[in-house]
Amino acid sequence: MSELIQKTAAELSEALAAGETTSVELTQAHIDRISAVDGDVHAFLHVDTEGALAQAAASDARRADGELLHALDGVPIAVKDVLTTTGLPTTCGSKMLEGWIPPYDATVVTKIKNAGLPILGKTNMDEFAMGSSTEHSAYGPTRNPWKLDRIPGGSGGGSAAAVAAFEAPLALGTDTGGSIRQPGAVTGTVGVKPTYGSVSRYGLVALANSLDQVGPVTRTVLDSALLHELIGGHDPLDSTSTTTPVTGLVDAARQGATGDLKGVKVGVIKELAGEGWAPDVMAKFDESVDLLTKLGAEVVEVSTPSFEHAMAAYYLILPAECSSNLAKFDAMRYGLRVTPDGKTPSAEAVMKASRDAGFGDEVKRRIILGTYALSSGYYDAYYGQAQKIRTLIIEDFKKAFEQVDVLVSPTSPSTAFPLGAKLDDPLAMYMQDLATIPANLAGTPGISVPAGVSDDDGLPVGVQLLAPVLEDARLYRVGAALEAAVGSVLSIDKLEVAR
């Protein structure tokens, strides 16, 4: 096993600059790692060996000519299978799109290509990003590299597991209700949900347009900052894209790594603690809060009463948007088409048979719920009320950030649970996103940083930091300081997957 795969993206960038390795060498090292362990982890749905090595060779040629595109030029990356990629399948973890190769790249994919990052492949996910465990993929579950009988979080468990298993130094994920941050917490990786609109959603196959956000999945806060700055910024192809430049994140991470948080005020969210949270998670959270205090931060308790209703509001808003977005998969234009028995089946019969065969149980559940919430006579009672709760959550965030610079909570109520443990209890599965959902409803940025490992089961625990809209740099400063104080959590020798 090559030592290259254990280096961070920032370290790989430095090694490339120093001439200590080549992009072809480190890309091949990660492909070899994928070949060695992904049979057990199943982080990838598609590996593009030929394409990645060709992109790596092109990077090396540019470097030899002194024409680098970016600091991360030549550092390989994995991409969640919900982002469109020319020449590579984009299935969204669903049979509905099995074998579909998009005719265009997502904007974030274009950006990483233009910066010279070789794309290793596409990562596994819950079908159409609906789930908290990556068990709802039509192509089989992803396993947590720490313990292979545990979930890696969801919906972006493939990206998190790939980074945690040292199959990729960087990955792109998407976060609709915690799908970057919650997998980060249970795999010991760093996951960031940027401010809504600050990273383009063009080419992201939509689950819920007002909630979805692309973000980085990495092993360190600095690596996330490097990738976040690369993919962020205005995109005229995305009507919800902000015009504010995404800058200062790397500088904030480097400042935070010095360990000085004097002058920073941190708010502990009262409603995201206590009953329902595993004791081992709360123990690590309390230790992290103590570390923030020792680093010079002022820590106070902050109340956000409407957060208690966030889960209910989210599971009306998301299914409503999902029901609308997935209506396009009708077997008429693209995607799976199933022709039922009979010589001349109607379009309605083909549509019904195709959607029945193409969608899994969780997707069908949410489509039904969303269609009901939007139906005549129920719109105001359900969807309309949920949007009012959303407004209250936004107001609670505004009031909280008048008192503090960042908010802090556990990322997930528990460590990684066993595969299959919650499949028959959707409500228990939904509760895994209890702490992460408010940020998506309000559009605020959030980051999950490893807080250590549980004293009970030895699995990672994550701490979530939240900042005001467009103040993502605050996350990187405080997150890097906490990361430095906690010390290394993820290392290859701690994983159950093959060393």
Side-chain angles (χ1 to χ4, degrees):
M1 179 182 67
S2 171
E3 292 184 1
L4 286 171
I5 66 169
Q6 300 185 58
K7 293 182 179 293
T8 68
E11 290 169 344
L12 290 173
S13 175
E14 292 172 357
L16 285 167
E20 297 170 0
T21 186
T22 65
S23 180
V24 168
E25 182 182 10
L26 63 90
T27 300
Q28 184 65 60
H30 285 93
I31 290 170
D32 291 345
R33 176 66 174 175
I34 293 168
S35 298
V37 305
D38 205 57
D40 293 326
V41 178
H42 191 39
F44 284 87
L45 291 179
H46 180 81
V47 178
D48 185 22
T49 299
E50 183 178 343
L53 290 174
Q55 293 163 36
S59 174
D60 288 336
R62 285 192 300 273
R63 190 174 295 276
D65 293 338
E67 299 176 353
L68 284 186
L69 300 174
H70 188 271
L72 293 175
D73 193 342
V75 178
I77 189 170
V79 176
K80 187 177 180 180
D81 200 33
V82 73
L83 294 162
T84 57
T85 45
T86 54
L88 296 178
T90 299
T91 70
C92 298
S94 177
K95 292 293 184 182
M96 184 61 79
L97 287 176
E98 186 172 14
W100 182 59
I101 298 179
Y104 66 100
D105 281 327
T107 293
V108 290
V109 173
T110 298
K111 287 191 172 188
I112 61 175
K113 284 184 175 180
N114 289 344
L117 283 72
I119 297 175
L120 294 167
K122 305 295 287 293
T123 58
N124 199 12
M125 56 182 284
D126 285 298
E127 185 179 8
F128 286 105
M130 299 185 210
S132 301
S133 64
T134 316
E135 293 173 284
H136 292 296
S137 170
Y139 305 100
T142 296
R143 297 175 180 273
N144 193 319
W146 288 75
K147 286 188 178 180
L148 294 173
D149 65 344
R150 303 297 179 106
I151 60 102
S155 65
S159 287
V163 172
F166 296 85
E167 297 176 73
L170 300 167
L172 290 179
T174 62
D175 193 307
T176 305
S179 295
I180 291 175
R181 290 163 290 157
Q182 185 255 1
V186 300
T187 59
T189 54
V190 175
V192 180
K193 174 216 164 298
T195 292
Y196 180 79
S198 64
V199 177
S200 174
R201 291 187 300 109
Y202 179 76
L204 161 60
V205 181
L207 166 55
N209 306 65
S210 73
L211 302 167
D212 298 338
Q213 189 57 70
V214 183
V217 179
T218 67
R219 288 194 289 271
T220 69
V221 174
L222 177 59
D223 284 357
S224 281
L226 288 163
L227 183 55
H228 189 164
E229 283 195 1
L230 168 58
I231 63 175
H234 178 67
D235 179 15
L237 298 176
D238 178 359
S239 62
T240 61
S241 178
T242 64
T243 56
T244 305
V246 178
T247 59
L249 308 183
V250 173
D251 289 342
R254 296 190 192 281
Q255 179 187 6
T258 65
D260 183 7
L261 291 182
K262 291 182 179 68
V264 176
K265 199 168 184 179
V266 177
V268 176
I269 303 173
K270 177 183 177 182
E271 287 73 19
L272 297 182
E275 186 177 352
W277 299 82
D280 56 335
V281 169
M282 290 309 303
K284 287 299 171 186
F285 173 69
D286 291 341
E287 289 177 14
S288 296
V289 172
D290 289 342
L291 286 174
L292 292 174
T293 302
K294 291 176 181 177
L295 293 171
E298 179 186 353
V299 178
V300 298
E301 186 177 73
V302 174
S303 180
T304 51
S306 62
F307 282 22
E308 294 184 352
H309 308 294
M311 177 75 69
Y314 176 84
Y315 277 103
L316 286 168
I317 294 170
L318 178 139
E321 295 188 20
C322 146
S323 170
S324 176
N325 280 323
L326 269 61
K328 61 180 173 282
F329 298 109
D330 56 8
M332 297 296 111
R333 288 160 290 188
Y334 54 86
L336 179 70
R337 174 178 287 196
V338 175
T339 303
D341 293 337
K343 293 184 179 180
T344 55
S346 65
E348 182 180 358
V350 171
M351 189 183 305
K352 180 179 179 181
S354 300
R355 287 170 70 87
D356 180 51
F359 290 142
D361 290 344
E362 182 61 26
V363 174
K364 292 174 183 174
R365 180 183 296 117
R366 298 198 195 190
I367 290 175
I368 291 169
L369 179 58
T371 304
Y372 181 81
L374 291 175
S375 60
S376 177
Y378 295 101
Y379 182 96
D380 289 335
Y382 293 109
Y383 184 76
Q385 289 296 104
Q387 291 290 14
K388 291 177 182 178
I389 294 296
R390 186 179 200 169
T391 300
L392 292 176
I393 291 169
I394 293 170
E395 290 302 315
D396 271 357
F397 267 118
K398 288 180 180 177
K399 292 175 184 176
F401 289 128
E402 289 172 358
Q403 305 171 55
V404 299
D405 298 305
V406 296
L407 296 169
V408 63
S409 77
T411 309
S412 180
S414 70
T415 57
F417 52 84
L419 289 160
K422 301 184 188 296
L423 275 178
D424 296 328
D425 189 349
L427 184 58
M429 185 76 80
Y430 297 164
M431 294 296 286
Q432 296 304 302
D433 296 329
L434 188 64
T436 52
I437 281 172
N440 296 86
L441 290 170
T444 58
I447 185 172
S448 180
V449 179
V453 296
S454 164
D455 294 332
D456 292 348
D457 57 20
L459 292 173
V461 174
V463 166
Q464 175 182 234
L465 297 164
L466 303 169
V469 167
L470 297 176
E471 295 291 348
D472 302 51
R474 297 186 191 180
L475 301 178
Y476 286 100
R477 180 185 175 189
V478 180
L482 180 60
E483 176 184 62
V486 170
S488 177
V489 173
L490 177 61
S491 62
I492 207 164
D493 59 297
K494 295 179 181 177
L495 306 180
E496 182 177 281
V497 73
R499 281 21 172 211

